[in-house]
Amino acid sequence: MNHPASRVPYISYDPTRHLLLTPQDDEAPARVARLRALGIGDSPLPAFDEFARKLARTTRAPYSMVNFIDERRQYFAGLYTPSQDQAVELGPAPASAQPGRVMDRDHGYCPHVIVRRKALVLEDVCDYPRFAGNPVVDEIGIRSYLGAPLIDRTGTALGTVCVVDLEPRPWGREGLETIKSMAAELVEQIHQMEKQQSDAP
C-alpha cells in the first residue's frame, strides 16, 4: 500500500555524491519555540552532562550526547567522552559557542531520528549506503550509532539522546529498548524542570 506523498519526509539528493542527505525538518520552527519556552537547547547543562555520563555507562559506549536540533545546527547540551568529562570536538563551532558542543545539521544521524520520530539503530553504518557517506564517518571515524527521540508532553520532538562508537557494535534489541527507555526518562526529567520553573515565585 502506497503512502500519500504528503506523509513521506522529503529527502534531498545530491547526484555528485551519490547519497541521500539530511531529511527536511518541517517541525524545526515549532521545536525551537518549545525549546526556548523550556530554556534549554543552547547551552550546556550539568544535569544533561550527568545524564550523558549515565547513558554511556549504561550502554558501555565511549561517547554519548543529549542533542537539541534547530533549523541549522545541532547542540549537545549533554556530552560525555571516554577520556574526560569535557566536550569533544565533533565539528566546526562558532567562536561564541562552547568548543565541541555544536555540529552542523547535515552531520550525523540525530536529524534522521528527529524527523522519523523513532529510534534508529546502526550497528555498522557502513552497512547502510544511505548513512555510510555521512561526514562523521570520515571526519570523526564513527562506525555505529544508537539514538532515540525526546518527544515531550506536547508531542514536540525536542531532540535526541544517542551513543556512538568508533567500532561496529551489536546493539541488538536490548540496546534499542535501553535507548528508548532512557529517552523517556530524560523527557520526564525535562517535564520536572519545566514544573519547577512554573512553580518558582
Side-chain angles (χ1 to χ4, degrees):
M1 177 177 175
N2 293 328
H3 295 283
S6 61
R7 297 182 60 188
V8 179
Y10 171 75
I11 307 291
S12 58
Y13 180 74
D14 181 348
T16 66
R17 298 180 65 189
H18 303 288
L19 70 124
L20 291 167
L21 303 177
T22 307
Q24 181 172 309
D25 183 2
D26 294 329
E27 294 184 1
R31 177 184 317 116
V32 170
R34 177 67 175 144
L35 290 171
R36 286 176 180 161
L38 290 168
I40 60 176
D42 59 1
S43 60
L45 288 178
F48 290 162
D49 278 343
E50 181 56 38
F51 191 90
R53 184 181 299 110
K54 177 182 176 181
L55 180 57
R57 289 174 179 167
T58 301
T59 59
R60 298 184 298 279
Y63 301 89
S64 62
M65 300 95 175
V66 176
N67 185 11
F68 298 103
I69 304 172
D70 62 22
E71 296 99 327
R72 58 184 180 82
R73 67 170 194 165
Q74 305 175 66
Y75 188 84
F76 302 112
L79 182 61
Y80 179 81
T81 71
S83 60
Q84 54 189 3
D85 294 346
Q86 295 180 4
V88 63
E89 188 59 49
L90 289 172
S96 60
Q98 292 288 330
R101 296 276 179 172
V102 175
M103 191 160 70
D104 189 88
R105 195 181 152 300
D106 290 330
H107 288 53
Y109 308 107
C110 289
H112 294 271
V113 171
I114 209 163
V115 170
R116 289 159 43 103
R117 297 175 65 89
K118 61 182 181 180
L120 176 63
V121 181
L122 300 174
E123 297 189 342
D124 186 343
V125 299
C126 294
D127 289 341
Y128 303 87
R130 177 176 179 180
F131 299 118
N134 195 283
V136 297
V137 177
D138 292 334
E139 295 177 12
I140 306 172
I142 289 176
R143 284 293 300 275
S144 58
Y145 172 92
L146 178 66
L150 299 168
I151 301 176
D152 78 346
R153 62 178 181 79
T154 70
T156 304
L158 301 174
T160 67
V161 291
C162 72
V163 293
V164 299
D165 203 331
L166 306 184
E167 301 291 339
R169 285 283 298 269
W171 303 110
R173 179 166 292 279
E174 180 181 357
L176 174 63
E177 294 305 318
T178 296
I179 200 73
K180 289 165 62 177
S181 174
M182 295 201 71
E185 180 182 333
L186 185 57
V187 167
E188 181 56 33
Q189 186 174 329
I190 291 170
H191 290 160
Q192 290 298 321
M193 292 167 58
E194 180 182 29
K195 185 176 186 301
Q196 289 170 5
Q197 290 172 1
S198 64
D199 291 343

